């Protein structure tokens, strides 16, 4: 009995210490946990539905499962019982990983990095898969455009199921993740960004059926093999259900002999399986990294707040308005005209949807830089613009359009990637994404009952001298104390690291090979970077 009581007391003391440590900083803004204090739950099934584009070698069209990986503070060290959730959707042009890109699933490097950063701040981060596949290289414009719209539409339905499944876990599964059902946000990169923007804005049939660009241009055979007429909408809700994943109910005739999932009678029109019907799927806000809005008419007053990050010269998804271009096997296939990130955020600001973010009051360095970017026409809040130019303007597709990504350099498709595959550089962009997003997310959470302090970040000036150099260089931080410094070479390999508490650090750069190096300073006022040239 005494031994049992001692263990209980030790556990209580550990929980109290963890709670004290977490409260010493601003939870949900600062990292208050370490990777060692996180729990990662891989391959958690959250739903299933019919997929038209399962390859014949894998059985052809059938019901497939959707999985997620869940990142969260370990419940043994975190006493919080109601944690906000961020659901993250990966990139990949709505095609299976390995078909068009070395990226394209929920375990992509950038997605995992972002999920862990949220979890270290106290969030539950869910990296979710969704249905993939469309006729990207079809010479038939209707099939190319229609199946692309269908891919986005199915992914939005899956995202709604994922949100409902996370919410339902609070009651139906005994609350294993300790989530706050009133605090769920979405983030998407690339095609995942298209999902988050569509999720926030599609809410009626006219939006997906009325625009001419979402209708068949000629009579013939439609996406599901039936006969269609010119002017018919690509999306037939009687077949695939509505934008929430309801209706279009499939006729179930048994269980698949291999997967055990429902077997759909494909001679009948319905293809949709309703899941978690009646559970709310509203979200607090959406964050888009490099995606676009399928149609500006989708956006209306009252839609969820949105924040975007975008490369001004992105060839594949426009910054203002323009054509979506998808790269397949070295060729580019134009798909559909869309409203880019700048247009979507400007409209959301104008409608007042983003007023809850109170971004106009934010004067930290990131907000000021984003607001005053020369490409940000109208000095819009809630959009962060990256100004990278293509190395050769004759090849505009060779632009660093998704700079937060890095991947396996041995993947054969990496030769076609447009971004420099430098992990350290990508992490610097993720630094910016997090620094810009988190204060806005805090405002969104405060609107539903939280009280998260978002202090004004004073400007920190970083100086590297001499630069360029052939000798040792000194890095100084004016207005902050340096707690640690890391240096990476151009390939992202660490070459120097030191923990300290000072305003300047001498770097042993005289010992390094000539080249460019990224110097990353950690201070009590955030992470700051500089580039050092060693001659």
């Amino acid at each position: 009995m005494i031994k049992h009581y001692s263990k209980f007391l030790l556990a209580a003391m550990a929980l109290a210490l963890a709670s004290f440590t977490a409260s010493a900083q601003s939870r949900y803004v600062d990292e208050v946990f370490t990777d060692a204090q996180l729990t990662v739950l891989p391959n958690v099934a959250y739903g299933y539905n019919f997929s038209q584009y399962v390859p014949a070698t894998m059985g052809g069209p059938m019901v497939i499962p959707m999985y997620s990986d869940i990142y969260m503070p370990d419940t043994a060290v975190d006493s919080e019982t109601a944690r906000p959730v961020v659901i993250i959707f990966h990139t990949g042009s709505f095609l299976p990983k390995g078909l068009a890109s070395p990226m394209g699933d929920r375990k992509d490097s950038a997605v995992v990095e972002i999920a862990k950063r949220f979890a270290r701040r106290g969030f539950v981060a869910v990296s979710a898969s969704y249905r993939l596949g469309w006729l990207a290289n079809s010479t038939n414009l209707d099939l190319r455009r229609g199946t692309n719209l269908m891919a986005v539409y199915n992914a939005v339905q899956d995202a709604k199921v994922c949100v409902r499944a996370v919410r339902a876990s609070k009651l139906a599964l005994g609350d294993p993740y300790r989530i706050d059902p009133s605090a769920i946000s979405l983030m998407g990169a690339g095609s995942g960004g298209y999902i988050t923007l569509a999720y926030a804005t599609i809410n009626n049939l006219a939006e997906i059926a009325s625009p001419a660009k979402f209708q068949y241009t000629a009579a013939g055979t439609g996406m599901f093999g039936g006969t269609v007429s010119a002017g018919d909408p690509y999306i037939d809700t009687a077949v695939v259900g509505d934008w929430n994943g309801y209706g279009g109910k499939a006729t179930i005739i048994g269980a698949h002999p291999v997967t055990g999932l429902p077997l759909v009678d494909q001679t009948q029109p319905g293809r949709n399986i309703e899941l978690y019907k009646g559970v709310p799927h509203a979200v607090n806000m959406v964050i888009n990294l490099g995606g676009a809005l399928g149609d500006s008419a989708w956006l209306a007053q009252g839609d969820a707040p949105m924040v975007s990050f975008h490369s001004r010269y992105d060839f594949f998804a426009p910054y203002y308005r323009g054509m979506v271009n998808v790269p397949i096997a070295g060729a580019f296939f134009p798909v559909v005209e869309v409203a880019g990130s700048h247009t979507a955020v400007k409209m959301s600001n104008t409608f007042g949807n983003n007023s809850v973010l109170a971004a106009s009051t934010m004067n930290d360095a990131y907000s000021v830089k984003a607001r005053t970017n020369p490409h940000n026409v109208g000095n819009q809040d809630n959009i962060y613009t990256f100004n990278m130019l293509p190395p050769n303007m004759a090849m505009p597709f060779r632009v660093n359009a998704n700079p937060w990504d890095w991947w396996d350099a041995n993947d054969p498709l990496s030769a076609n990637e447009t971004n420099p595959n430098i992990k350290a550089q990508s992490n610097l962009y993720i630094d910016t994404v997090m620094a810009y997003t988190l204060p806005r997310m805090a405002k969104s959470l405060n609107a539903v009952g939280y009280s998260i302090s978002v202090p004004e970040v004073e400007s920190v000036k970083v100086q590297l001298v001499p630069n360029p150099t052939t000798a040792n260089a000194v890095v100084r931080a004016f207005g902050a104390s340096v707690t640690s410094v890391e240096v990476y070479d151009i390939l992202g390999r660490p070459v120097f690291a030191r923990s300290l508490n000072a305003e300047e650090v001498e770097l042993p750069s005289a010992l390094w090979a000539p080249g460019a190096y990224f110097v990353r300073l950690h201070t009590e006022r955030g992470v700051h970077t500089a580039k050092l040239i060693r001659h």
Side-chain angles (χ1 to χ4, degrees), residues 1 48 87 107 131 149 165 202 216 272 306 377 400 415 466:
M1 183 69 168
Y48 52 87
I87 302 177
K107 299 183 189 296
R131 280 174 286 176
L149 177 63
I202 297 177
Y216 286 97
N272 183 51
M306 60 178 61
V377 177
N400 188 3

Side-chain angles (χ1 to χ4, degrees), residues 46 49 66 89 94 129-131 148-164 186 191-203 208 240 242-246 272 281 283 292-294 298:
Y46 72 81
N49 216 323
M66 274 80 74
F89 300 99
F94 297 98
S129 63
Y130 49 91
R131 280 174 286 176
N148 178 258
L149 177 63
M150 181 61 68
V152 178
Y153 190 81
N154 283 159
V156 170
Q157 292 176 317
D158 296 342
K160 296 276 179 78
V161 169
C162 189
V163 170
R164 295 198 292 263
L186 307 183
S191 49
Y194 281 86
I195 296 170
T196 62
L197 295 185
Y199 189 111
T201 57
I202 297 177
N203 59 15
I208 53 164
V240 299
D242 69 10
W243 43 95
N244 295 324
Y246 301 146
N272 183 51
H281 45 246
V283 296
L293 186 63
W298 292 356

Side-chain angles (χ1 to χ4, degrees), residues 124-451:
V124 175
V126 180
S127 176
S129 63
Y130 49 91
R131 280 174 286 176
L132 300 172
W134 58 291
L135 303 179
N137 58 356
S138 174
T139 56
N140 183 315
L141 177 62
D142 278 330
L143 292 183
R144 188 165 74 244
R145 182 177 290 171
T147 57
N148 178 258
L149 177 63
M150 181 61 68
V152 178
Y153 190 81
N154 283 159
V156 170
Q157 292 176 317
D158 296 342
K160 296 276 179 78
V161 169
C162 189
V163 170
R164 295 198 292 263
V166 168
R167 239 181 213 117
S169 73
K170 187 77 174 178
L171 297 176
L173 299 180
D175 196 20
Y177 318 125
R178 296 184 181 176
I179 64 109
D180 181 349
S182 71
I184 300 179
S185 301
L186 307 183
M187 174 179 275
S191 49
Y194 281 86
I195 296 170
T196 62
L197 295 185
Y199 189 111
T201 57
I202 297 177
N203 59 15
N204 65 73
L205 179 61
E207 290 175 340
I208 53 164
S210 297
K213 65 181 179 181
F214 297 151
Q215 298 173 353
Y216 286 97
T217 61
T221 302
M223 291 183 284
F224 291 92
T227 301
V228 296
S229 302
D232 286 350
Y234 292 139
I235 303 297
D236 184 348
T237 56
V239 175
V240 299
D242 69 10
W243 43 95
N244 295 324
Y246 301 146
K249 293 178 67 172
T251 301
I252 306 302
I253 55 175
H256 192 281
V258 177
T259 68
L261 292 171
L263 196 61
V264 171
D265 183 352
Q266 296 181 46
T267 67
Q268 301 300 310
R271 295 290 189 275
N272 183 51
I273 298 176
E274 299 177 338
L275 296 174
Y276 300 102
K277 190 169 184 179
V279 177
H281 45 246
V283 296
N284 296 73
M285 67 180 296
V286 300
I287 303 106
N288 156 48
L289 280 64
L293 186 63
D295 192 85
S296 58
W298 292 356
L299 212 157
Q301 191 168 27
D303 288 337
M306 60 178 61
V307 172
S308 280
F309 299 83
H310 211 110
S311 173
R312 164 63 186 91
Y313 297 100
D314 190 338
F315 175 80
F316 306 102
Y319 175 76
Y320 297 117
R321 292 180 183 269
M323 180 65 67
V324 174
N325 295 286
V326 175
I328 302 292
F332 300 106
F333 292 84
V335 182
V336 67
E337 293 270 353
V338 299
S341 290
H342 185 275
T343 300
V345 168
K346 178 181 178 181
M347 292 180 65
S348 191
N349 290 339
T350 302
F351 281 132
N353 300 344
N354 287 342
S355 59
V356 69
L357 306 181
S360 61
T361 67
M362 297 182 188
N363 292 305
D364 59 279
Y366 292 95
S367 295
V368 171
K369 185 175 181 179
R371 197 179 293 132
T372 58
N373 188 294
H375 298 296
N376 182 1
V377 177
N379 306 115
Q380 297 296 322
D381 286 310
N382 304 310
I383 181 164
Y384 197 101
T385 310
F386 298 114
N387 296 349
M388 298 86 70
L389 282 165
N392 181 348
M393 290 303 290
M395 294 188 291
F397 50 87
R398 301 297 300 179
V399 68
N400 188 3
N402 45 309
W404 38 81
D405 283 321
W406 73 97
W407 54 88
D408 181 0
N410 296 318
D411 191 304
L413 286 170
S414 66
N416 296 324
E417 268 302 324
T418 57
N419 301 323
N421 191 17
I422 305 172
K423 178 180 178 180
Q425 179 173 300
S426 296
N427 269 306
L428 299 180
Y429 283 100
I430 294 175
D431 289 345
T432 297
V433 169
M434 299 300 291
Y436 191 74
T437 296
L438 287 164
R440 289 157 177 78
M441 188 169 282
K443 297 290 187 182
S444 173
L445 291 173
N446 287 347
V448 292
Y450 287 72
S451 182

